[in-house]
Amino acid sequence: MAFLGGACDSAPPDLREWKAGDHDRVEQPSGQAARPSRLSPAPSSSAAANPTVTLVEVTWRNQCASCHGPIGRGDGPQGPMVHATNLTLAEWQSKVTDEQIAEAIRNGKNRMPKFDFPPEVIAGLVARIRVAKGR
């Protein structure tokens, strides 16, 4: 019994802190990291350099795309039902300021619920919407 109790006090030899880069690689038995699998999407250089970009994209995909679609045209699966705005239209983009877009995200508008995102995520979503203009 004493043998089993002593084993719980020591950490396994291969235990190390997880890092985001570990997600796309496979550990070899020797402890060397292998190249990412072909099935894993290659991380974009901007996302790898700036985790906020990745967070904004994940937030868009999980919270916005169901209504506004992958690019912002209002063509998500729920878009027609809620009459989602086509955020890519130059006419719409010229009518709203960045602060108005941010306010709509924070407080909701019409059928869109309010979202309590960190300021840098809201700023990233606004920038993402502006880039979608005319796509």
Side-chain angles (χ1 to χ4, degrees):
M1 238 9 197
F3 172 73
L4 293 177
C8 292
D9 292 333
S10 63
D14 64 342
L15 185 63
R16 62 187 176 83
E17 182 179 352
W18 180 86
K19 294 182 174 66
D22 295 336
H23 181 72
D24 290 333
R25 65 182 191 178
V26 178
E27 286 292 325
Q28 299 296 324
S30 66
Q32 296 289 334
R35 298 175 77 184
S37 161
R38 285 189 197 181
L39 299 176
S40 300
S44 71
S45 58
S46 63
N50 187 350
T52 302
V53 172
T54 302
L55 185 56
V56 167
E57 288 306 311
V58 169
T59 301
W60 179 272
R61 187 173 49 241
N62 292 339
Q63 302 296 330
C64 309
S66 62
C67 295
H68 292 289
I71 296 178
R73 293 187 185 127
D75 59 351
Q78 301 297 318
M81 184 175 70
V82 298
H83 305 288
T85 301
N86 181 344
L87 306 174
T88 67
L89 293 175
E91 180 183 346
W92 179 83
Q93 291 239 354
S94 67
K95 287 183 191 178
V96 296
T97 65
D98 289 355
E99 184 51 41
Q100 288 172 320
I101 296 170
E103 183 179 325
I105 295 168
R106 282 190 297 268
N107 301 319
K109 186 170 183 177
N110 300 328
R111 295 180 127 180
M112 183 174 132
K114 65 181 181 175
F115 293 99
D116 186 22
F117 298 138
E120 60 273 7
V121 172
I122 292 177
L125 290 170
V126 170
R128 188 189 193 287
I129 290 166
R130 291 299 190 192
V131 169
K133 179 180 177 180
R135 285 178 130 184

